[in-house]
Amino acid sequence: MDEIAPEYDVVVLGTGLTECVLSGVMSVKGNKVLHIDRNDHYGGESASVNLEHLFRKYGNHKEGEEPWKKYGRPNDWNIDLVPKLLMSNGELTNILVSTDVTRYLEFKQIAGSYVQQGKGPKATVAKVPSTAGEALRSSLMGMFEKRRAKNFLQWVGDYKEEDPATHNGMNLGQSTMKDVYDKFGLEATTRDFVGHSMALYHDDSYINKPGQAKDCVQRIRLYVNSMARYGKSPYIYPLYGLGELPQGFARLSAIYGGTYMLNTNVDEVLYNGNKVSGIKATMKERGDEGEGMKFETKCKKIIADPSYFSSKVRVVGTLLKAICILNHPIPNTENSDSLQLIIPQSQVGRKNDIYIAMVSSAHNVCPKGYYIAIVSTIAEGDANTHLELQHGLDRLGSIQECFMGPPIPLYEPLESGVNDGIFISKSYDATSHFETTTDDVQDIYRRATGEPLVVEGLRDGQNLVADQ
Amino acid sequence: MAQRMQQGARPGGSRFAQFKLVLLGESAVGKSSLVLRFVKDQFDDYRESTIGAAFLTQTIALDENTTVKFEIWDTAGQERYKSLAPMYYRNANCAVVVYDITQASSLDKAKAWVKELQRQANENIIIALAGNKLDLVNESPDKRAIQTSDAEQYAREAGLLFFETSAKTATNVKELFTAIAKKLPMDQAGPRGIRAGQRPGVDLRPGDSSTSPTPGCNC
């Protein structure tokens, strides 16, 4: 076994998407990176796992039984643990293109974006309108409201921050979104789908915050521009599942000299005073006998997911999630092979929206004829939390398998890392996309290096042979 | 259909196909050197561990009408601590498993990589076994640690193509890749008019919001 270097610029712990993007970017920028994961696979909390792995993870089977066998080869399944999709015009797409990680991945559209109105047996599901024209055809609104919505969407589309003529007499940096909705005279149901299925806020706290209007308009524009890019929905998705994303960035890091070690436990974090100075770790493959390979190395910085530093993080929320295997598309969605369906909180008497993200064999994540739907929301109570997902599960029709674990705590670092040199990422939150993940990437990069992360121009320039 | 396998007919009835090839083998057996020789016809005695190439491409003309393009993936050093990602094996059409004929243990490692390929890659993947550093043995025969016949017998039993190669002198390098190309399923290359390099799905590059017309695209 080769020697581990005596010193690295950065040691990265955990191979989730956040860590892998940072590892890749750090390596491209010339840092010497050691990237470690305690697991035998890439991806951490953002991995995609096979069906057997999922059954075992959730304990959904009796001893001696192998229920996954009736679903074909376990390896034909790539089931995401995080219910997220990529905004086609979002920052993750930009980073993927700027780093050329797109070479390793193939993306497909998500076929539809839906929103529920009403609840129980009376609930209806409709496509989210994303253009002024679509608003006019939408079943979500009455005739007069359609015109108001059209005016609103047209204004959002034309809005330019630097051009006051497009501001319609408002100062979005100070206005509340309520002011804006009022100005266009939008009804409550329209505000609901605009705020929740286009701006993708999962609760209503955005409405009355002064200055939040600017953020809201930017979110709607991201949705609309993402929608305009490929046409069917604002979302794209990598073939073989989201777990391909961290693998792609890990390869980028490795190509630029990053060293990768799975199956490696961190035994001790070494400090010099308050500041991190290195790690002691052991690499040992599962089933390997003996002590494994113990090593110690110095480092100036550590970037880690929250699971590596439980004493340096706090819980900021609780996510509920059910992964469901279906053998049919979700009812009332035009047999879409993939979709996002949002159930706004107001429609079902909650404070937080319920999200459904569904993909299928069209994305090479399961055998033909199957569909994987993840229902998720933020927990509002302490007890019987599994019931909070029921409105979402009701949308799915018959369910073959349902994997629902205990509520998932969402972590945030206690400190910025500037003092101890340990930069900890946030958990993957309840939002339906990766925009907050890339915010975290940029934030950590700035904290760790003192510079903003500029990904433009980071392309792999060292190809030995130009691609023809 | 393997995503990486791009095939099609060109005007004049010629056939073209693109295949993903992955390299495997212990560190320092000469994986990258073999590719560098094949792709650029170069050799560097003091080549450092792999750095800097996402993947390389090289085209072989099998005959007047048949062209095969290899998209060659290097391990990028991720094999060193057994940390290759499933993405590496995904849709690989062919693999070159390399060992060093002057290092006795490297054939055992190669056998382990073949097993790993059979576990992780496509069922019908074509695997070639390459015993590299033939030049060292030609210089001083007592350096040989693995007999040709032993490796050949293993390759035959396991259904692998087999060559002893030298990236340094170029011995059998072109032959190795040509033999792989000949074994690849060109006959599946139907006249579907697919241009090389196109992929199914959406193209993320800015300024191009069009989707490719490749079959399998669901857009």
Side-chain angles (χ1 to χ4, degrees):
Chain A
M1 196 71 74
D2 298 61
E3 288 289 309
I4 309 284
E7 183 164 9
Y8 290 86
D9 296 322
V10 189
V11 169
V12 183
L13 305 178
T15 55
L17 180 60
T18 308
E19 289 71 36
C20 286
V21 173
L22 283 162
S23 174
V25 170
M26 292 281 186
S27 288
V28 173
K29 298 250 184 192
N31 295 283
K32 195 171 168 66
V33 176
L34 174 64
H35 201 158
I36 286 173
D37 196 309
R38 64 167 82 85
N39 298 314
D40 64 354
H41 58 273
Y42 284 88
E45 294 299 315
S46 57
S48 304
V49 301
N50 73 37
L51 193 57
E52 182 180 341
H53 186 129
L54 194 69
F55 268 101
R56 292 188 187 280
K57 184 179 167 73
Y58 282 87
N60 269 30
H61 65 296
K62 296 194 189 102
E63 185 107 3
E65 285 180 9
E66 298 182 318
W68 51 87
K69 287 201 163 159
K70 64 180 172 213
Y71 297 104
R73 294 188 310 181
N75 278 338
D76 287 344
W77 294 80
N78 300 290
I79 303 159
D80 299 331
L81 299 179
V82 192
K84 284 182 181 288
L85 305 166
L86 284 86
M87 300 293 288
S88 48
N89 234 27
E91 184 57 22
L92 184 54
T93 307
N94 182 34
I95 297 175
L96 281 161
V97 171
S98 299
T99 53
D100 265 350
V101 169
T102 44
R103 290 161 178 246
Y104 312 128
L105 303 166
E106 318 221 2
F107 289 88
K108 254 189 173 175
Q109 287 193 73
I110 292 293
S113 171
Y114 294 87
V115 60
Q116 172 173 329
Q117 277 197 327
K119 70 188 259 191
K122 282 191 190 152
T124 56
V125 171
K127 277 211 139 155
V128 179
S130 68
T131 63
E134 277 182 18
L136 286 175
R137 294 191 298 273
S138 174
S139 63
L140 288 165
M141 294 167 283
M143 200 174 21
F144 294 106
E145 182 65 1
K146 279 178 186 174
R147 298 202 173 278
R148 292 189 284 266
K150 171 179 171 279
N151 290 339
F152 171 73
L153 287 175
Q154 242 161 15
W155 170 73
V156 169
D158 293 340
Y159 177 84
K160 286 195 192 74
E161 198 180 341
E162 66 279 7
D163 181 3
T166 66
H167 294 189
N168 203 3
M170 289 177 285
N171 181 347
L172 295 192
Q174 285 167 19
S175 305
T176 64
M177 201 55 205
K178 182 177 181 298
D179 300 337
V180 178
Y181 288 147
D182 287 348
K183 181 133 188 163
F184 286 90
L186 297 184
E187 290 172 0
T189 51
T190 311
R191 296 175 189 212
D192 232 26
F193 86 69
V194 167
H196 292 264
S197 57
M198 298 180 80
L200 299 165
Y201 290 110
H202 50 74
D203 62 30
D204 265 347
S205 61
Y206 77 98
I207 293 179
N208 291 312
K209 266 189 208 150
Q212 191 73 17
K214 190 165 151 189
D215 179 62
C216 186
V217 166
Q218 276 164 351
R219 283 166 169 248
I220 299 167
R221 285 174 60 87
L222 174 62
Y223 184 94
V224 170
N225 291 337
S226 293
M227 188 81 192
R229 191 120 184 233
Y230 303 113
K232 283 187 182 172
S233 83
Y235 298 113
I236 53 172
Y237 185 86
L239 293 186
Y240 303 101
L242 297 175
E244 299 292 282
L245 296 167
Q247 291 179 45
F249 285 103
R251 183 166 166 82
L252 174 74
S253 181
I255 280 168
Y256 281 91
T259 300
Y260 275 82
M261 302 181 85
L262 302 179
N263 292 305
T264 301
N265 259 314
V266 178
D267 303 321
E268 194 183 340
V269 176
L270 307 171
Y271 293 87
N272 184 359
N274 292 328
K275 205 122 188 155
V276 69
S277 64
I279 57 159
K280 286 184 178 175
T282 307
M283 181 179 141
K284 186 170 181 291
E285 274 187 88
R286 251 198 318 195
D288 254 14
E289 290 178 17
E291 287 226 307
M293 183 183 71
K294 289 191 178 294
F295 65 92
E296 180 177 335
T297 187
K298 290 182 186 164
C299 66
K300 300 180 190 85
K301 292 166 195 162
I302 288 181
I303 292 171
D305 79 39
S307 69
Y308 288 84
F309 287 98
S310 53
S311 65
K312 290 178 185 280
V313 295
R314 64 190 168 116
V315 176
V316 290
T318 311
L319 182 69
L320 304 174
K321 177 179 78 178
I323 301 174
C324 300
I325 310 284
L326 315 178
N327 58 7
H328 54 80
I330 292 177
N332 304 316
T333 61
E334 301 148 315
N335 291 328
S336 291
D337 62 31
S338 51
L339 58 84
Q340 175 176 63
L341 194 164
I342 292 177
I343 305 173
Q345 32 92 33
S346 61
Q347 304 293 317
V348 289
R350 288 178 53 78
K351 293 193 194 72
N352 291 279
D353 295 353
I354 298 173
Y355 287 147
I356 300 172
M358 189 202 75
V359 287
S360 67
S361 59
H363 307 86
N364 300 6
V365 293
C366 58
K368 251 196 157 45
Y370 288 107
Y371 299 79
I372 304 169
I374 308 185
V375 183
S376 62
T377 191
I378 291 180
E380 294 174 3
D382 294 327
N384 293 321
T385 46
H386 60 287
L387 298 176
E388 296 192 38
L389 292 172
Q390 197 54 47
H391 289 295
L393 296 174
D394 287 346
R395 287 265 68 77
L396 302 185
S398 67
I399 298 171
Q400 299 300 300
E401 304 286 345
C402 180
F403 302 89
M404 193 174 351
I408 303 159
L410 300 177
Y411 298 103
E412 227 175 62
L414 290 169
E415 289 181 38
S416 74
V418 172
N419 291 327
D420 57 6
I422 296 171
F423 303 91
I424 302 169
S425 61
K426 296 178 182 170
S427 303
Y428 300 98
D429 63 16
T431 58
S432 64
H433 47 65
F434 286 105
E435 297 307 301
T436 49
T437 306
T438 48
D439 286 349
D440 196 28
V441 165
Q442 285 165 331
D443 196 41
I444 293 171
Y445 187 86
R446 195 176 34 72
R447 274 149 43 199
T449 68
E451 297 164 13
L453 173 59
V454 180
V455 292
E456 283 74 14
L458 266 191
R459 280 167 188 280
D460 180 358
Q462 294 185 36
N463 261 357
L464 294 176
V465 171
D467 256 359
Q468 298 139 30
Chain B
M1 190 194 88
Q3 294 299 328
R4 292 279 169 184
M5 200 165 75
Q6 311 284 347
Q7 301 170 323
R10 282 174 162 176
S14 62
R15 292 185 302 170
F16 176 87
Q18 181 170 329
F19 299 95
K20 174 176 171 180
L21 183 150
V22 294
L23 289 163
L24 289 165
E26 211 183 340
S27 295
V29 294
K31 297 185 293 295
S32 300
S33 296
L34 274 176
V35 175
L36 196 63
R37 172 60 75 190
F38 173 56
V39 173
K40 292 194 91 179
D41 202 17
Q42 287 176 356
F43 182 80
D44 183 350
D45 258 320
Y46 301 101
R47 200 174 148 67
E48 300 214 358
S49 288
T50 308
I51 183 166
F55 44 76
L56 305 175
T57 57
Q58 177 64 300
T59 304
I60 288 187
L62 283 183
D63 57 49
E64 282 180 352
N65 296 320
T66 313
T67 309
V68 168
K69 182 174 176 183
F70 286 112
E71 180 183 290
I72 304 170
W73 288 45
D74 207 318
T75 56
Q78 283 177 304
E79 86 288 8
R80 190 164 302 150
Y81 302 107
K82 296 195 183 163
S83 300
L84 277 171
M87 163 184 280
Y88 188 69
Y89 301 97
R90 180 134 21 244
N91 294 321
N93 306 102
C94 42
V96 177
V97 180
V98 187
Y99 68 96
D100 174 349
I101 60 174
T102 70
Q103 298 292 332
S105 66
S106 69
L107 181 60
D108 290 332
K109 295 275 171 59
K111 288 178 183 174
W113 284 116
V114 170
K115 272 201 188 133
E116 188 68 5
L117 273 168
Q118 285 160 344
R119 195 173 70 83
Q120 296 233 34
N122 293 343
E123 283 169 35
N124 49 359
I125 187 168
I126 290 165
I127 305 173
L129 181 69
N132 195 32
K133 306 199 181 174
L134 189 58
D135 51 285
L136 294 181
V137 171
N138 288 343
E139 276 171 25
S140 39
D142 56 337
K143 280 197 176 167
R144 180 182 281 278
I146 294 165
Q147 295 307 313
T148 311
S149 56
D150 291 348
E152 201 164 23
Q153 189 189 342
Y154 159 69
R156 196 166 41 239
E157 285 165 7
L160 319 177
L161 293 164
F162 172 66
F163 289 88
E164 285 191 342
T165 58
S166 166
K168 187 170 184 177
T169 64
T171 311
N172 276 346
V173 174
K174 186 126 197 260
E175 288 77 359
L176 165 74
F177 287 94
T178 307
I180 295 168
K182 282 184 174 157
K183 234 186 147 183
L184 286 164
M186 285 298 289
D187 54 317
Q188 288 173 17
R192 287 184 298 178
I194 303 162
R195 278 194 299 119
Q198 274 196 351
R199 302 205 189 151
V202 293
D203 187 346
L204 300 193
R205 280 169 299 190
D208 184 2
S209 60
S210 66
T211 52
S212 72
T214 317
C217 170
N218 198 33
C219 316

